[in-house]
Amino acid sequence: EKAGYKHFMAKEVAEQPVVIADALKHYVKGGALNLPEGLDFSTVDRLSMVACGTASYATAVAKYWFEQLAHLPCDVDIASEFRYREPPLSTKGWAMFVSQSGETADTLAALRHAKEQVAKVVAVVNVPTSSIARESDLALPILAGVEVGVASTKAFTCQLTVLFLMALKAGLDRGRLTPAQVADHLSALNTLPGLMNHAMGLSAEIAGIAEKLAEAQDILFLGRGPMFPLAMEGALKLKEISYIHAEGYASGELKHGPIALIDNRVPVIVLAPRDALFEKTVSNMQEVMARHGKVLLISDAQGVAEAGKGCWKTVTLPAVAPILAPILYSVPAQLLAYHTAIAKGTDVDQPRNLAKSVTVE
Ligand code: F6R
């Protein structure tokens, strides 16, 4: 069942290039978007995205995409807060629920709460027969295949892929993107499976770094823009399987408090492709180094050449369109968590206190 891998998680991380290519084959035809009929964003005035855990970080990345590509006002909420906060919803708005299992109790309760108040309820799920899929007006499968490891990996990157395609559709429907611009984004997206394969090849190098990370008590992840939610996802993945305390912060927020935590025992993992925000992130990174924090810079060749000096370690990924970087950079984040957990000897596929599907509120 594990197809020669030691753990389901390793198998599912490795499957990502293939399942993402499958999802693209399904939702892109002849170089154009091929999304379900009912997915027309032209009259939508607000998108409220709701999810838990890793799926909620996928929605947090997608917020950057919907805003940037479609200029669509967008809220993201964790399901257990959304419902009880009683947010005012728009009758012209859509509510979107993202869930691997489609059975998460908090997310399902939030869906039922929103249903009568919005124009359409959309679900993004891995299990197409699930309750969340059945109770929504429109359900898009992410086509990741069965995910067994408790730590979500391939479902996360497939969620991101489908959400990115939806943001492109929203951009098109709202007159913010031309078909030619969409086609450009789609060709960039088509390079992802190959780039992710390349990133998989860094596994042994990352395992070497993870042996050192396993000695840490606390680890920080930093990112800016759409890499900020990925920093939170990297921290979640690490804490849930290695039991090391980890937090993800927006790079620019470090100086407003968390920098007090930094000393020579705290590794700080900086997820920073060489994009428009890179220089700002580098200056945040230098603040960490000035306080003897151990920086692991994950960037591309240009980023590592410009800013790698003085870092504790660097990992060099292939260059990628900055808007798609959260999908590619998921791979080293997952591999760091995986190898750190292996170094600590924890149960990677079945971490303590956790269940694959959380069906209590
Ligand atoms: C973390 C993880 C959880 C789930 C969360 C939501 O690796 O797997 O945080 O993402 O419990 O589950 P779904 O997506 O099934 O609603």
Side-chain angles (χ1 to χ4, degrees), residues 42-289:
S42 41
T43 61
V44 182
D45 66 353
R46 170 158 232 108
L47 180 64
S48 303
M49 290 191 277
V50 182
C52 299
T54 287
S56 82
Y57 295 135
T59 66
V61 171
K63 178 181 164 79
Y64 287 83
W65 292 337
F66 279 104
E67 289 180 352
Q68 187 184 331
L69 297 169
H71 210 69
L72 178 59
C74 206
D75 303 311
V76 294
D77 253 304
I78 28 182
S80 55
E81 287 299 318
F82 171 80
R83 180 175 164 203
Y84 298 103
R85 220 181 57 243
E86 306 205 359
L89 295 170
S90 162
T91 49
K92 285 204 236 153
W94 285 5
M96 189 146 85
F97 299 86
V98 180
S99 172
Q100 187 284 128
S101 63
E103 300 297 346
T104 299
D106 284 318
T107 311
L108 184 58
L111 184 159
R112 289 174 178 157
H113 174 78
K115 196 148 189 188
E116 306 305 321
Q117 304 178 54
V118 291
K120 192 170 276 188
V121 167
V122 182
V124 175
V125 291
N126 197 29
V127 182
T129 52
S130 60
S131 307
I132 288 173
R134 279 186 280 113
E135 294 194 26
S136 55
D137 299 313
L138 184 65
L140 279 81
I142 58 168
L143 307 163
V146 178
E147 190 180 68
V148 178
V150 163
S152 185
T153 52
K154 62 176 180 169
F156 177 67
T157 48
C158 285
Q159 285 161 352
L160 288 176
T161 303
V162 172
L163 290 167
F164 186 78
L165 294 171
M166 291 168 92
L168 291 179
K169 181 64 165 59
L172 206 53
D173 291 345
R174 294 166 57 80
R176 288 275 164 176
L177 292 176
T178 63
Q181 287 170 319
V182 170
D184 285 347
H185 283 296
L186 291 176
S187 4
L189 208 46
N190 274 324
T191 66
L192 267 181
L195 299 178
M196 291 174 97
N197 255 326
H198 181 116
M200 287 300 308
L202 302 172
S203 189
E205 181 187 336
I206 290 174
I209 297 171
E211 272 179 39
K212 299 273 187 279
L213 287 180
E215 295 162 12
Q217 294 261 334
D218 306 279
I219 298 180
L220 296 183
F221 285 75
L222 301 182
R224 257 180 199 270
M227 301 302 280
F228 162 41
L230 190 69
M232 294 192 282
E233 165 61 6
L236 174 63
K237 213 94 299 175
L238 185 78
K239 72 183 114 177
E240 73 176 319
I241 60 171
S242 76
Y243 315 147
I244 295 174
H245 170 239
E247 300 294 338
Y249 278 100
S251 308
E253 188 63 12
L254 194 72
K255 56 185 172 296
H256 299 290
I259 198 160
L261 295 169
I262 305 294
D263 63 19
N264 61 5
R265 288 167 307 176
V266 181
V268 178
I269 300 173
V270 182
L271 302 164
R274 180 68 183 88
D275 58 14
L277 302 171
F278 185 72
E279 276 163 34
K280 290 225 178 339
T281 303
V282 169
S283 82
N284 304 136
M285 205 171 89
Q286 281 158 351
E287 291 160 11
V288 171
M289 296 196 289

